[in-house]
Amino acid sequence: MFAAMHNPMAAYRKVGIETGIETVDPHQLVLMLFEGALLSVASASLHMQRIENAADVARKGEAISKAINIIENGLKASLDLEAGGDLAAKLAALYDYMVSRLLHANLHDQPAVLDEISHLLSELKGAWEKIGSQP
């Protein structure tokens, strides 16, 4: 289902995160992508709530762009649509939905949309953590 299993570092490097990934297993890399996306969405939410000047708008946009990059070029790019079948296709569609919603939140300053995406990412991350804890 996840192409990152074949080349676990490629997707992670693609989103610009380099430090320490050579020693991390593929499962952990995906968790790190989820964590990075969640942190970026949280940062965007904070900046959105306190917009006072152009710098705050820019920081909000940068955080949302980073979250989009992680989702699109990390999480979605790591999917193996052939091996993952229907589940991988549904995850790809969900990632596309998240990207679309993040763009909408950025354009219309809607923190509730950021909360929605954070919730979705948290649910997926929790499921991924459970997969990793199985023997």
Side-chain angles (χ1 to χ4, degrees):
M1 173 173 41
F2 283 89
M5 301 308 162
H6 302 293
N7 189 354
M9 290 182 271
Y12 209 73
R13 280 193 180 121
K14 192 171 185 178
V15 295
I17 305 167
E18 298 285 335
T19 54
I21 63 171
E22 284 79 17
T23 60
V24 179
D25 68 76
H27 182 83
Q28 188 65 31
L29 286 173
V30 174
L31 282 175
M32 292 169 74
L33 288 168
F34 280 119
E35 289 167 5
L38 283 163
L39 284 172
S40 295
V41 171
S43 176
S45 183
L46 287 173
H47 292 300
M48 189 179 286
Q49 292 172 16
R50 62 177 184 146
I51 290 179
E52 296 177 4
N53 55 45
D56 292 329
V57 173
R59 286 186 205 102
K60 173 200 69 162
E62 289 168 7
I64 288 176
S65 292
K66 186 173 181 181
I68 288 170
N69 191 28
I70 292 169
I71 292 167
E72 187 72 28
N73 296 314
L75 293 168
K76 184 178 174 191
S78 70
L79 293 172
D80 185 339
L81 296 174
E82 253 182 63
D86 191 45
L87 179 58
K90 287 181 180 179
L91 281 171
L94 181 58
Y95 293 146
D96 287 340
Y97 171 79
M98 288 183 198
V99 167
S100 173
R101 295 295 287 158
L102 285 168
L103 289 169
H104 179 84
N106 191 33
L107 290 171
H108 302 286
D109 287 327
Q110 294 184 331
V113 174
L114 297 179
D115 292 342
E116 172 194 5
I117 301 308
S118 182
H119 176 75
L120 290 170
L121 288 167
S122 293
E123 290 289 318
L124 291 172
K125 180 179 179 271
W128 193 249
E129 287 171 333
K130 287 179 184 175
I131 292 169
S133 65
Q134 295 177 355

